[in-house]
Amino acid sequence: MKLARHLNARLVANIARPRLGSSRYISSYLDLSEEHQMIRDMSRQFAETELMPIAGDIDKDHLFPANAVKQLGELGLMGVSVSEDYGGAGMDYLAYALAVEEISRGCASTGVIMSVNNSLYCGPVEKFGTAAQKEEHLTPYANGSKLGCFGLSEPGNGSDAAAAATTASQDALSGEWTLNGTKAWITNAHEAEKAVVFATTDRSLPGSKAISAFVVPMDLPGFSLGAKEDKLGIRGSSTANLILENVKLPKEALLGKQGDGFKIAMMTLDAGRIGIASQVTKFYPINVCLKKKRGTIKMEMG
């Protein structure tokens, strides 16, 4: 399902309205435009009919919700804000937030899988990729045919984007890049086919200028995965290390310019936080309801 094309022109007027006596802008679901109401309702219906009945089994048995992810792609929800030219729905980040909220209410694992593909993989590729890169590395991921991931965190550096121990060295003649290093706690690791990976390309420069970003196919020689983490929750989404040992990339794999990696990481994480916040807004009230229910049962049992 492709959603409305003319959303952005109507967004500002419909979403937030000032309240008398205050300089703040306060919005509510009642202020949503028709297009935003449509994507919220569609996502809610999908969550209730397709995800809630299987969410418990997905989490308990570490099951990747492959069929649900495929359906989300068909609905345009694996690339909500990506241009329709590259397989996305062509909407905005409010639409994305609403969709992630509702999908996460139905299944936390599916919400995380969807969120990472949207904002942490498709986001930087669309914003910083060339036309050729977008055609190859974006379209199949925005339309849900394939899944991407985001390789920033490392065992010794956490998510410090200016301190990547992973290195990328370039051959002076061929321009080919060789990547070595380990990325840790990567969401979608075992299901993704490509990763946006950050590596140090020039140690002579200050940290924030030494980092570059690459789009890396995960089936290349030297690329391997660590074991799946046995998490307490959100277990339908795999989390594991990405291990790169002399992985060879063509010069065209560089995303943006050399040295742009820190900027790309920071801008991508800004968008990623929208997805995380959207997931939490649905987790929290459910958690409160469960605690209240358990509290009542405890009181009744004495």
Side-chain angles (χ1 to χ4, degrees), residues 37-230:
Q37 290 175 7
M38 286 173 57
I39 194 168
R40 183 195 61 180
D41 294 344
M42 179 185 72
S43 301
R44 178 175 294 178
Q45 182 179 9
F46 182 85
E48 291 177 350
T49 59
E50 302 296 331
L51 296 177
M52 286 184 179
I54 62 174
D57 290 336
I58 286 173
D59 204 62
K60 178 182 177 181
D61 299 327
H62 286 260
L63 299 176
F64 176 70
N67 187 55
V69 171
K70 179 182 178 182
Q71 289 177 281
L72 289 174
E74 293 170 352
L75 292 172
L77 298 182
M78 294 303 289
V80 178
S81 66
V82 175
S83 168
E84 290 180 293
D85 294 337
Y86 295 105
M91 298 189 76
D92 62 2
Y93 264 82
L94 175 60
Y96 165 61
L98 291 167
V100 173
E101 278 189 359
E102 297 300 337
I103 296 302
S104 298
R105 187 170 69 93
C107 174
S109 295
T110 307
V112 169
I113 293 164
M114 169 190 166
S115 178
V116 168
N117 190 75
N118 268 270
S119 58
L120 299 188
Y121 179 81
C122 290
V125 175
E126 181 176 37
K127 188 169 185 63
F128 295 97
T130 64
Q133 286 176 324
K134 293 176 187 178
E135 192 64 39
E136 180 180 359
H137 304 308
L138 179 59
T139 301
Y141 296 81
N143 66 25
S145 300
K146 298 180 179 181
L147 199 64
C149 64
F150 183 74
L152 175 63
S153 298
E154 295 185 345
N157 301 315
S159 298
D160 185 350
T166 298
T167 61
S169 57
Q170 188 174 32
D171 185 276
L173 295 178
S174 67
E176 182 181 68
W177 293 95
T178 301
L179 273 64
N180 284 281
T182 298
K183 298 297 180 178
W185 315 293
I186 306 305
T187 303
N188 292 348
H190 277 261
E191 293 77 33
E193 296 191 35
K194 288 181 181 175
V196 174
V197 173
F198 296 84
T200 295
T201 50
D202 189 344
R203 292 193 181 279
S204 67
L205 296 174
S208 62
K209 298 182 183 297
I211 310 299
S212 299
F214 300 86
V215 182
V216 185
M218 295 170 64
D219 59 353
L220 293 175
F223 198 120
S224 60
L225 300 174
K228 294 181 181 180
E229 300 287 350
D230 188 11

Side-chain angles (χ1 to χ4, degrees), residues 266-282:
M266 292 298 98
M267 294 180 70
T268 301
L269 290 174
D270 283 344
R273 292 183 183 105
I274 297 173
I276 296 299
S278 301
Q279 294 164 47
V280 171
T281 59
K282 288 303 177 183

Side-chain angles (χ1 to χ4, degrees), residues 248-280:
K248 306 293 184 182
L249 294 174
K251 59 183 179 181
E252 293 81 11
L254 181 68
L255 186 63
K257 298 178 182 177
Q258 184 172 340
D260 278 353
F262 181 81
K263 177 179 71 175
I264 293 173
M266 292 298 98
M267 294 180 70
T268 301
L269 290 174
D270 283 344
R273 292 183 183 105
I274 297 173
I276 296 299
S278 301
Q279 294 164 47
V280 171

